[in-house]
Amino acid sequence: MLRAFDPTALKAILCRGVERGLWTVEQLDRPSQGWIDNTRVSSKAFRNGYQGIAYRNPLRDQPNQPQPVQPVQNQQTDYDEAAEFPF
């Protein structure tokens, strides 16, 4: 499943905004008023309150460490040349 937003591109946009002085990293630590309004739910429908995605500042996230890739060994037992190309 593809993500709706590329996290790397989102971090780059936020960093450019910080560099230009449009906002600070500390301002991004608090959710916007729109986020607060959208996560305010009815206690009749949701008795435990909002339990969806937690707010986080992407600029404070630790960079993901790439996982080492193990090479796949070719399994000759699953392949029969005579069956594949009979001519």
Side-chain angles (χ1 to χ4, degrees):
M1 178 178 207
L2 296 175
R3 292 182 171 214
F5 298 100
D6 180 25
T8 307
L10 178 64
K11 283 184 180 183
I13 291 170
L14 292 174
C15 283
R16 281 196 306 256
V18 170
E19 290 169 359
R20 292 179 182 168
L22 300 175
W23 50 75
T24 64
V25 177
E26 290 76 23
Q27 288 174 325
L28 295 173
D29 288 336
R30 292 186 317 256
S32 67
Q33 187 60 42
W35 177 277
I36 294 170
D37 291 344
N38 288 329
T39 57
R40 196 173 293 146
V41 294
S42 169
S43 61
K44 292 178 183 177
F46 299 94
R47 295 183 184 190
N48 296 329
Y50 177 75
Q51 293 182 344
I53 299 171
Y55 180 82
R56 62 185 175 83
N57 181 352
L59 294 181
R60 299 272 191 206
D61 289 345
Q62 298 297 324
N64 294 337
Q65 299 296 326
Q67 298 295 325
V69 178
Q70 298 295 328
V72 178
Q73 298 295 328
N74 190 1
Q75 300 276 335
Q76 292 296 331
T77 57
D78 294 339
Y79 181 70
D80 183 18
E81 277 188 34
E84 183 84 24
F85 301 105
F87 47 89

